[in-house]
Amino acid sequence: MKRITIKNIAKALGYSVGTVSKALSNSHEISSLTKVKIQNFAHENGYQSNQYAKLLRKGRTNIIGMIVPSIGNPFFSQILEGIEREMSETAYNLIIMQSVDDPQLELKHLEMLSKKGADAIVIAATGNSISLKYLRKLKNEGTPIVLIDRTNYDINTYKIGIDNFKVVYEGISQLINRGKRKILFISNLSPGTSSERRRGYIQCLRDFDIAYNSNYVLSIETNRRRIDVLDQLKNHLTHFVNSSTPPQAIFTASDQLTYLTLEALHTIGISVPDRLALIGFANFQYTNIFQPSLSSIVQPSREIGSQAFAILHKILDSSDNEIATQYQNIELQASILTRKSSE
Amino acid sequence: MKRITIKNIAKALGYSVGTVSKALSNSHEISSLTKVKIQNFAHENGYQSNQYAKLLRKGRTNIIGMIVPSIGNPFFSQILEGIEREMSETAYNLIIMQSVDDPQLELKHLEMLSKKGADAIVIAATGNSISLKYLRKLKNEGTPIVLIDRTNYDINTYKIGIDNFKVVYEGISQLINRGKRKILFISNLSPGTSSERRRGYIQCLRDFDIAYNSNYVLSIETNRRRIDVLDQLKNHLTHFVNSSTPPQAIFTASDQLTYLTLEALHTIGISVPDRLALIGFANFQYTNIFQPSLSSIVQPSREIGSQAFAILHKILDSSDNEIATQYQNIELQASILTRKSSE
DNA sequence: CTGTTAGCGCTTTCAC
DNA sequence: GTGAAAGCGCTAACAG
């Protein structure tokens, strides 16, 4: 399957490789007649430039590395969709890796990306300090870093997420307006988003003059087998509903927790929203066919992806590496789909 | 961020590049003392070999191209998960593209993959004849091709899917055993899986002595906006339930159709399973919290991914390209989760 | 055991 | 306008 090369073309047409190279990149130094001849020949013979020779020469790889906790999570797969759509017909290559929220694995992936010479990195980071340190190192060596989703980390770089405080505040106020005052807030341990979301919860309670009860803030270790997470939730929830002051509503601060909480409630026989209302983050496209139809906080996941690529595209394409980099912290708007589960 | 190269090491240690190269690849030609010195130095200074120089030299790219209809579809994102898990710490790079089931786009992606010099291709193909022709061409040029999910195409290559006939047959017989005799079969137009699934449906009816009624076989054009597909379904279903002989059950032959059919039924107010039972393909992990809990045909999606990579890994690693290639057609087993929607 | 050298395909000075 | 040649980082003959 011998590929045709610049050398072949040069020989076939009696030019030098230099001339062919320039003609193919439409250099102004080459006469239009020659350019036409060479370009036509290249086209007719299906010439494909060897990206790697090109990149080797330029000292680049055009690889964008991406690390997310789980590709199977609809939220992240949608972000991926957003990136792919923008990127597929460009010269960039995306390498995807899953950390499974495991700091060790995350670090290994980062090292691998560095080894592969990734020109940029997009990451929904675990927040592990060693990984963050590694990210800072890569950044200082000149690799642009984009934090997505979990942006609340101490690293000065590009960040794309949502206004977590605001959307949680809105979600909670909706519940309060529907008469719920005892609201359970369930989040995972990821420091990247949880604190802002919790802040939204607490501030909203305060603004409505509702006493804050720290027992109503649950942090779940989600980095383990599904069945174990489910068990944790079932235990906690059973305890809560049997307590003297059972909560009237639940707010779940991640996709996975929303689905699992609903599953746990089903399993232990708590009907939603009759006994307990529920609203939570959920990016699966069909939450309206859940039992009950789920009040969902939907993030602009595809846009997070496309914006991440847009930023990198711009940086990597600007030959001017010395540009005084302005790191942006983009906060997109999430939206609330109000449905039966929070009635 | 100047990377350290073999040349640097050679100079620093007073060896030649050749020696360093061999030492790093643990060649037996090099004395162990030298190897230790060089390897230690490389390690301490964080030497990372330049993959692209290596690959350029070897005439390879180590790129595996993958084309799926949609990354956001849980079924495909899980396949992706399966591949990623096996691949992330290898020297291979995965490039993912979405065809959106659009033959034109699929062809463009294939051309792009060829241009990028992909060493192998994994595809859930639309079945478009021009794309298939292109795939055959790539195959004949030596690029291994693995068809996943949609395997029923006329191209002699590696195929990984499930036993569609069998699992549909089982699903339908379950419905029949529960007293449903009028069963609507809804599939999309993809020729890659629909025909086998339809065959399972028809054969099962025949074995149970139920007359086959072609009106009960619906093919839906799913390659369009969600709302339009939903409308199609609503129209068809409204028509069916108001007919003189309304169906008693529905079998949906793809994830997307399952979710949308359930949504359509909700919208037009048909309760499931009371008025109409439903069972269908669905790989979302939480179909038990659907309304009603959904009887689902679950495919071993992650395994499809990992097996695809395993095959390619083996082929691409065998330097012996002249090996008499035995194309396998792997049929994994799908399973049926029987729940409320088909009671 | 170690060094030298050619060359993978391409771009980019620098000559002419 | 075009050609010659160097070199990106690496491997693999081949020499010694």
Side-chain angles (χ1 to χ4, degrees):
Chain A
M1 70 154 221
K2 294 247 42 82
R3 282 175 108 75
I4 170 170
T5 70
I6 276 191
K7 210 170 165 183
N8 301 152
I9 299 181
K11 194 156 35 163
L13 262 46
Y15 285 103
S16 71
V17 285
T19 304
V20 173
S21 170
K22 284 173 199 152
L24 290 174
S25 61
N26 232 329
S27 162
H28 54 271
E29 311 177 37
I30 306 294
S31 78
S32 42
L33 173 62
T34 308
K35 280 205 270 197
V36 168
K37 278 205 288 188
I38 292 179
Q39 288 172 0
N40 280 349
F41 184 89
H43 190 71
E44 283 160 16
N45 292 78
Y47 168 74
Q48 312 278 41
S49 73
N50 181 320
Q51 303 282 323
Y52 298 99
K54 217 181 244 183
L55 294 168
L56 173 60
R57 184 64 228 271
K58 297 203 166 164
R60 291 246 317 248
T61 64
N62 267 14
I63 286 179
I64 294 178
M66 178 167 180
I67 301 180
V68 294
S70 156
I71 300 171
N73 181 324
F75 174 56
F76 293 112
S77 66
Q78 285 163 19
I79 292 179
L80 195 52
E81 257 193 28
I83 294 202
E84 188 281 335
R85 247 189 300 198
E86 303 293 324
M87 176 143 63
S88 64
E89 296 295 321
T90 71
Y92 290 98
N93 292 331
L94 189 70
I95 298 184
I96 298 159
M97 299 178 168
Q98 323 189 64
S99 68
V100 206
D101 262 331
D102 172 357
Q104 303 263 344
L105 191 55
E106 178 177 63
L107 190 59
K108 269 178 76 177
H109 286 342
L110 282 173
E111 286 165 352
M112 191 50 142
L113 287 177
S114 162
K115 181 164 174 181
K116 292 192 174 181
D119 284 337
I121 287 176
V122 178
I123 183 170
T126 62
N128 172 265
S129 62
I130 302 178
S131 293
L132 288 179
K133 200 166 138 195
Y134 198 90
L135 281 172
R136 284 190 210 97
K137 176 179 154 247
L138 290 175
K139 193 196 89 167
N140 292 333
E141 290 171 352
T143 307
I145 308 287
V146 181
L147 298 191
I148 53 171
D149 182 42
R150 302 149 177 213
T151 55
N152 197 17
Y153 296 130
D154 179 25
I155 164 172
N156 186 24
T157 187
Y158 303 94
K159 300 179 180 181
I160 305 177
I162 59 160
D163 190 336
N164 284 297
F165 174 85
K166 186 176 157 206
V167 74
V168 172
Y169 189 101
E170 282 172 13
I172 298 291
S173 53
Q174 248 189 39
L175 289 173
I176 297 175
N177 285 328
R178 289 168 178 222
K180 322 291 181 191
R181 298 181 64 85
K182 282 175 291 188
I183 302 171
L184 188 59
F185 179 88
I186 307 181
S187 71
N188 56 32
L189 298 177
S190 158
T193 54
S194 298
S195 65
E196 274 300 288
R197 291 179 188 176
R198 199 178 306 118
R199 209 166 64 75
Y201 165 76
I202 293 173
Q203 185 62 46
C204 187
L205 293 187
R206 186 173 298 151
D207 290 353
F208 277 92
D209 280 327
I210 297 177
Y212 168 67
N213 177 350
S214 66
N215 289 329
Y216 279 180
V217 174
L218 219 56
S219 289
I220 301 285
E221 165 68 86
T222 49
N223 175 18
R224 47 183 67 183
R225 288 182 315 164
R226 169 182 171 160
I227 184 83
D228 295 335
V229 181
L230 190 61
D231 275 346
Q232 276 186 79
L233 284 169
K234 285 196 296 197
N235 291 338
H236 281 296
L237 292 171
T238 307
H239 165 76
F240 272 112
V241 295
N242 292 329
S243 74
S244 54
T245 55
Q248 302 161 295
I250 301 179
F251 185 99
T252 41
S254 85
D255 278 46
Q256 195 194 356
L257 283 172
T258 304
Y259 308 137
L260 287 173
T261 296
L262 187 52
E263 183 171 353
L265 291 171
H266 280 202
T267 315
I268 62 180
I270 308 296
S271 87
V272 180
D274 308 332
R275 281 190 62 187
L276 210 42
L278 174 66
I279 182 168
F281 280 78
N283 264 271
F284 181 59
Q285 296 191 310
Y286 302 96
T287 47
N288 56 342
I289 52 176
F290 281 18
Q291 157 76 307
S293 65
L294 186 69
S295 296
S296 315
I297 307 230
V298 179
Q299 302 182 69
S301 40
R302 288 176 189 77
E303 200 183 340
I304 291 176
S306 57
Q307 293 232 17
F309 178 67
I311 288 177
L312 291 178
H313 195 33
K314 202 168 141 207
I315 301 172
L316 294 175
D317 267 26
S318 77
S319 50
D320 189 5
N321 284 324
E322 313 305 330
I323 196 167
T325 33
Q326 290 284 14
Y327 294 122
Q328 317 159 52
N329 186 356
I330 299 177
E331 290 200 334
L332 301 171
Q333 293 303 311
S335 52
I336 303 186
L337 294 179
T338 308
R339 297 199 279 227
K340 286 225 178 90
S341 73
S342 62
E343 271 180 6
Chain B
M1 71 157 223
K2 294 247 39 83
R3 282 174 107 76
I4 170 171
T5 70
I6 276 191
K7 210 167 163 185
N8 301 151
I9 299 180
K11 194 156 37 170
L13 262 44
Y15 286 103
S16 71
V17 286
T19 304
V20 174
S21 171
K22 283 174 201 151
L24 289 173
S25 60
N26 232 330
S27 162
H28 54 272
E29 311 178 35
I30 306 295
S31 77
S32 42
L33 173 65
T34 308
K35 280 203 273 198
V36 168
K37 278 204 289 190
I38 291 178
Q39 287 172 2
N40 280 348
F41 184 89
H43 190 69
E44 283 159 17
N45 293 78
Y47 168 74
Q48 312 278 44
S49 73
N50 181 318
Q51 304 282 324
Y52 298 100
K54 221 180 241 184
L55 295 168
L56 174 60
R57 184 64 230 268
K58 298 202 167 166
R60 291 251 312 252
T61 63
N62 267 14
I63 285 179
I64 295 178
M66 179 168 177
I67 301 179
V68 295
S70 156
I71 301 171
N73 181 326
F75 174 56
F76 293 112
S77 67
Q78 286 163 19
I79 292 179
L80 196 51
E81 256 193 30
I83 293 202
E84 188 283 336
R85 245 188 303 197
E86 304 293 323
M87 176 144 63
S88 64
E89 296 295 321
T90 70
Y92 291 97
N93 292 331
L94 189 70
I95 297 183
I96 299 160
M97 300 178 165
Q98 324 190 63
S99 67
V100 207
D101 263 331
D102 172 356
Q104 303 263 344
L105 191 55
E106 178 177 63
L107 190 60
K108 269 179 76 177
H109 286 343
L110 282 173
E111 285 166 353
M112 191 49 143
L113 287 177
S114 162
K115 180 164 174 182
K116 292 192 174 181
D119 284 337
I121 287 176
V122 178
I123 183 169
T126 62
N128 172 266
S129 62
I130 301 177
S131 293
L132 288 179
K133 200 166 139 196
Y134 199 90
L135 282 172
R136 284 190 211 99
K137 174 177 154 252
L138 290 175
K139 193 195 88 168
N140 292 333
E141 289 170 354
T143 307
I145 308 287
V146 181
L147 298 190
I148 53 171
D149 182 42
R150 302 150 177 213
T151 55
N152 198 16
Y153 296 130
D154 179 26
I155 163 172
N156 186 24
T157 187
Y158 303 94
K159 301 179 180 181
I160 306 177
I162 58 160
D163 189 335
N164 284 297
F165 174 85
K166 186 177 157 204
V167 74
V168 172
Y169 189 100
E170 283 171 13
I172 299 291
S173 52
Q174 248 188 39
L175 289 173
I176 296 174
N177 285 328
R178 288 167 177 222
K180 321 292 180 191
R181 299 182 62 85
K182 279 174 291 185
I183 302 171
L184 188 58
F185 179 88
I186 308 182
S187 70
N188 57 31
L189 298 177
S190 158
T193 54
S194 298
S195 64
E196 275 300 289
R197 292 179 187 174
R198 199 177 307 119
R199 208 165 63 77
Y201 165 78
I202 292 173
Q203 184 63 45
C204 188
L205 293 188
R206 185 173 299 151
D207 290 353
F208 278 91
D209 280 328
I210 297 176
Y212 167 68
N213 176 350
S214 66
N215 289 329
Y216 279 180
V217 173
L218 221 55
S219 289
I220 300 286
E221 166 69 84
T222 50
N223 175 19
R224 47 182 69 180
R225 290 183 315 163
R226 170 184 169 155
I227 184 82
D228 295 334
V229 180
L230 191 61
D231 275 346
Q232 276 186 78
L233 284 168
K234 285 198 295 201
N235 291 339
H236 281 296
L237 292 171
T238 307
H239 165 78
F240 272 112
V241 296
N242 292 329
S243 73
S244 54
T245 55
Q248 301 161 296
I250 301 179
F251 185 100
T252 42
S254 86
D255 279 46
Q256 195 194 357
L257 282 172
T258 302
Y259 309 137
L260 288 173
T261 297
L262 187 51
E263 183 171 353
L265 290 171
H266 280 201
T267 315
I268 61 179
I270 307 297
S271 87
V272 180
D274 309 333
R275 278 190 64 187
L276 209 42
L278 175 66
I279 182 170
F281 280 78
N283 264 272
F284 181 60
Q285 294 192 311
Y286 302 95
T287 46
N288 55 340
I289 53 177
F290 280 17
Q291 160 74 309
S293 66
L294 186 69
S295 296
S296 315
I297 306 228
V298 179
Q299 301 182 70
S301 41
R302 288 176 189 77
E303 202 185 339
I304 291 175
S306 57
Q307 294 233 17
F309 178 66
I311 288 177
L312 291 179
H313 195 33
K314 203 168 138 207
I315 302 173
L316 295 174
D317 268 25
S318 76
S319 49
D320 188 5
N321 284 323
E322 312 306 331
I323 197 168
T325 33
Q326 290 283 15
Y327 294 122
Q328 314 159 55
N329 185 357
I330 299 178
E331 290 199 335
L332 303 170
Q333 293 303 310
S335 51
I336 303 186
L337 295 178
T338 307
R339 296 197 282 228
K340 287 226 180 89
S341 73
S342 63
E343 271 179 5

